[in-house]
Amino acid sequence: MDGSIEFTMGLSQGIAWPWPIAVYLFFAGISGGALSVALFIRFYKQQTENTAFLKAASLMSLVTISLGMLCLVLDLTNPLFFWRILVFYNLNSVMSIGVIALSAYIPLVALVTLFALEDEIRKFPALRFLLPVIAKLRGVRAPSEKVVLLLALSVCAYTGFLISALIRFPIINTSVLPALFVASGLSAGAAAAKMLAVGLFKEELHSSDMKVLHGIEWPIMAAEILFIFMLAMSLFTGNAGMQSAFTAFHSGTWASVFWIGIIGIGFVGPLLLNFATSKAFSHSAKALYMSGMCAVVGMMCLRLFIIYAGQNHGI
Amino acid sequence: MSENLERRRFLKCLGASSLIIAPLGCSSVEEEGESDQPHYTMVFDQNKCTGCGECKLACTTANNLPEGKSRLLLEQQSGGVVGEVCPHCGKTDCDCQRKYVRVSCQQCKNAPCVTVCPTGAAHRDEKTGIVTMDASKCAGCKYCIGACPYDARFINKETDVADNCDFCLNSKLSKGELPACVQACRYDALIFGDLNDPNSYVSKLLRVKDAVRMKPGFGTEPSLRYIPIVKLGV
Ligand code: SF4
Ligand code: SF4
């Protein structure tokens, strides 16, 4: 026996961070991912018009980050204490730094969305009061898009850093987590925005934006698989605590979530839909929605797996 | 030969880099407040603890906690050693549960709960160096609970904020009294004092007794010491 004395009970009774945190990580990832991809394409192709994909991505980003914030606040022991996080700061804390980033990110996302949806706003009389605001702020559009791209990527990464600081859980306390969360945020964010672009903003299925998206999807997914593999391997070859955490990958409920949700639906699903079906089907809107949903569901399962399997396997 | 050279070069680099790094290191040590600060330590002697639970009750009362809740737990463990006669019941195969371990905040010198807390609610008291709570700042995010490697924090259901054992800093220590649990223990299983004072009882005790710290691998440098039951005649 290594320790002559040890305790195994705890005072917190249950897991500290339940599913709303997983949902928050999911929404923040989608928000950051969708906006980053859209702005990447905008800068890469030097677009100046408001493309359907930009509209969809910025709207998606604004809605998801707002829902994410709601989850975060509702998970506090008393939601009325929320102001305390905004008033008191501790710069050693990843969460505090995240709060600073988010309080710049959220208004900027709103601004970017406003610019992108100018035409739509014009169509609704109730929203017309926003037009003078847009006109006045037009000068800051380019710089704010650049800043928000940086912040969007930071928000994705921050969700990973936030939880990787929990040192007693080997699955969570890994250095690849931020990278994994950026990759999965990008792929699910892009998938979600793509569906919205086609469904709401009538983007053509084979427009040039969609082609670029197709081109970057697979490499990002490959990176994601690589990061998950790295995480599993580091646990498998690690110390006793890490090895016991590795069991999360092959036994218990969360192992099913991993294999069915993340691997099956998240990775194999889109691959099959794209490469194992007839060309007519894989190029249809139906296939786009189905593989988009697969990516989003896979990402949600990944967050749930990390949060629950992670906290269930402490040292 | 080459190994020697390597080593020499390594030492040289070490010397040079320490010149650069040392000032940085010093500045971060300074804020910890140096040697005139006490280092409060609690020793739990497993040989003396009977599991009566008086310490838990005293904690609940002293710190106005909701009924049945205290800042410490006593984990009951089996006292038996496989293949040996149990000293309590005389059987080789028994399930006597006769060993207790105090589960509570370990008062880490390098406390993850303090680092992680976004509002500074979980903080180190300036004068005593004790990790304690400013309940008026806590947002209830539970980050500290996940970050504490000892799972030693909890949410107080009455105040909705996080809580931890702080050696009764506000309820007893500030009045010059010993922590409530230490006062309540009739078997002297708990000893409390300043480890920086060579004449304190804890200092003397720890000089002569073997004591261990919990999960030292986390690098948190806990201030709680445990004297485990030692099996004789192995
Ligand atoms: S034991 Fe936990 S609560 Fe206590 S100081 Fe260490 S990290 Fe903080
Ligand atoms: S629950 Fe309170 S004490 Fe703990 S990290 Fe959050 S704000 Fe700090």
Side-chain angles (χ1 to χ4, degrees):
Chain A
M1 200 164 62
D2 299 332
S4 48
I5 192 167
E6 210 49 270
F7 57 71
T8 56
M9 291 167 94
L11 282 123
S12 71
Q13 294 171 342
I15 47 177
W17 279 356
W19 62 267
I21 298 296
V23 177
Y24 159 66
L25 299 177
F26 165 78
F27 279 136
I30 298 254
S31 172
L35 198 59
S36 312
V37 171
L39 289 175
F40 266 139
I41 293 179
R42 186 173 173 81
F43 294 144
Y44 173 68
K45 293 174 73 181
Q46 298 179 339
Q47 294 163 335
T48 47
E49 76 281 17
N50 290 328
T51 61
F53 186 67
L54 179 71
K55 289 176 187 172
S58 48
L59 186 62
M60 176 65 78
S61 178
L62 183 61
V63 172
T64 48
I65 198 67
S66 313
L67 291 174
M69 285 295 118
L70 197 68
C71 287
L72 203 60
V73 173
L74 291 180
D75 189 58
L76 298 181
T77 53
N78 184 342
L80 294 178
F81 292 163
F82 185 64
W83 60 272
R84 291 178 178 172
I85 292 198
L86 298 172
V87 173
F88 305 116
Y89 285 91
N90 166 18
L91 294 182
N92 291 321
S93 166
V94 185
M95 190 185 287
S96 222
I97 292 171
V99 168
I100 296 174
L102 282 168
S103 43
Y105 176 71
I106 297 170
L108 279 174
V109 172
L111 192 64
V112 167
T113 312
L114 221 55
F115 290 129
L117 295 180
E118 193 179 344
D119 294 339
E120 279 69 19
I121 290 171
R122 214 178 289 280
K123 277 184 220 148
F124 291 100
L127 295 175
R128 287 232 178 97
F129 71 96
L130 291 168
L131 292 173
V133 182
I134 299 177
K136 213 176 229 144
L137 292 173
R138 205 176 301 279
V140 297
R141 175 166 190 175
S144 56
E145 277 173 349
K146 285 192 188 94
V147 175
V148 91
L149 170 60
L150 220 80
L151 285 171
L153 286 171
S154 328
V155 165
C156 284
Y158 143 76
T159 58
F161 284 115
L162 176 73
I163 61 171
S164 67
L166 306 179
I167 55 175
R168 96 176 113 115
F169 309 114
I171 295 180
I172 296 180
N173 181 26
T174 44
S175 47
V176 286
L177 212 61
L180 172 61
F181 277 18
V182 171
S184 84
L186 288 175
S187 75
K194 216 159 69 172
M195 291 190 282
L196 193 67
V198 172
L200 189 63
F201 296 99
K202 306 286 168 263
E203 171 81 312
E204 278 173 52
L205 283 177
H206 305 288
S207 69
S208 75
D209 277 0
M210 295 299 251
K211 285 219 178 79
V212 177
L213 279 171
H214 259 325
I216 56 179
E217 254 168 10
W218 302 116
I220 294 177
M221 194 188 258
E224 231 179 303
I225 296 175
L226 180 71
F227 292 146
I228 291 178
F229 184 70
M230 284 161 71
L231 188 132
M233 271 306 128
S234 73
L235 294 174
F236 182 64
T237 56
N239 61 30
M242 293 160 99
Q243 286 181 18
S244 93
F246 182 75
T247 53
F249 288 94
H250 58 72
S251 56
T253 328
W254 296 106
S256 329
V257 171
F258 180 79
W259 289 105
I260 300 172
I262 303 174
I263 304 297
I265 300 177
F267 295 128
V268 180
L271 282 169
L272 284 183
L273 282 168
N274 256 279
F275 298 111
T277 52
S278 68
K279 217 166 188 140
F281 179 76
S282 71
H283 285 184
S284 69
K286 218 177 182 180
L288 177 125
Y289 285 124
M290 281 170 76
S291 68
M293 281 316 290
C294 282
V296 171
V297 169
M299 171 175 172
M300 186 65 231
C301 289
L302 177 67
R303 302 296 192 274
L304 281 172
F305 175 79
I306 299 277
I307 285 283
Y308 277 98
Q311 290 183 89
N312 281 325
H313 288 85
I315 315 179
Chain B
M1 260 288 271
S2 72
E3 203 187 328
N4 254 334
L5 269 179
E6 277 300 314
R7 187 179 303 154
R8 200 174 298 161
R9 206 166 63 211
F10 173 73
L11 286 175
K12 240 190 220 158
C13 287
L14 196 71
S17 55
S18 66
L19 280 181
I20 301 166
I21 291 171
L24 296 174
C26 286
S27 62
S28 77
V29 169
E30 227 163 34
E31 65 176 343
E32 291 235 334
E34 284 308 287
S35 54
D36 54 334
Q37 209 185 36
H39 177 197
Y40 286 114
T41 302
M42 183 178 280
V43 180
F44 173 82
D45 191 341
Q46 195 172 41
N47 299 279
K48 294 185 175 166
C49 176
T50 62
C52 69
E54 296 284 343
C55 49
K56 277 173 68 174
L57 286 178
C59 175
T60 312
T61 326
N63 299 303
N64 289 321
L65 295 168
E67 223 185 277
K69 193 79 199 177
S70 75
R71 291 170 174 174
L72 69 109
L73 293 176
L74 282 175
E75 181 173 333
Q76 213 173 41
Q77 296 176 345
S78 161
V81 172
V82 187
E84 266 179 54
V85 175
C86 170
H88 301 292
C89 65
K91 289 187 240 162
T92 27
D93 206 16
C94 76
D95 38 33
C96 283
Q97 302 272 309
R98 297 289 182 123
K99 231 165 81 171
Y100 299 87
V101 194
R102 179 194 170 94
V103 183
S104 70
C105 169
Q106 304 291 301
Q107 285 295 331
C108 310
K109 254 177 128 180
N110 178 13
C113 59
V114 172
T115 317
V116 127
C117 175
T119 62
H123 70 288
R124 192 177 291 287
D125 180 58
E126 261 174 46
K127 264 210 237 102
T128 57
I130 291 175
V131 174
T132 183
M133 279 293 297
D134 181 345
S136 67
K137 280 186 174 178
C138 175
C141 67
K142 295 169 282 180
Y143 202 8
C144 56
I145 293 180
C148 169
Y150 301 95
D151 196 1
R153 309 190 121 242
F154 61 96
I155 294 293
N156 182 328
K157 286 275 182 305
E158 256 161 37
T159 56
D160 274 342
V161 300
D163 214 329
N164 72 306
C165 162
D166 59 0
F167 291 155
C168 289
L169 177 62
N170 300 310
S171 53
K172 298 280 174 192
L173 238 50
S174 55
K175 297 178 196 138
E177 284 182 52
L178 284 172
C181 54
V182 179
Q183 290 188 39
C185 184
R186 284 175 286 161
Y187 306 95
D188 291 331
L190 290 171
I191 302 103
F192 178 83
D194 177 9
L195 203 57
N196 279 351
D197 171 6
N199 295 318
S200 68
Y201 185 62
V202 261
S203 301
K204 289 180 187 158
L205 182 77
L206 290 175
R207 276 203 290 271
V208 295
K209 275 274 188 187
D210 279 334
V212 294
R213 300 202 277 191
M214 288 293 179
K215 308 182 197 220
F218 283 118
T220 51
E221 298 192 50
S223 299
L224 257 74
R225 310 292 167 114
Y226 289 78
I227 302 177
I229 288 179
V230 183
K231 298 276 177 206
L232 296 173
V234 180

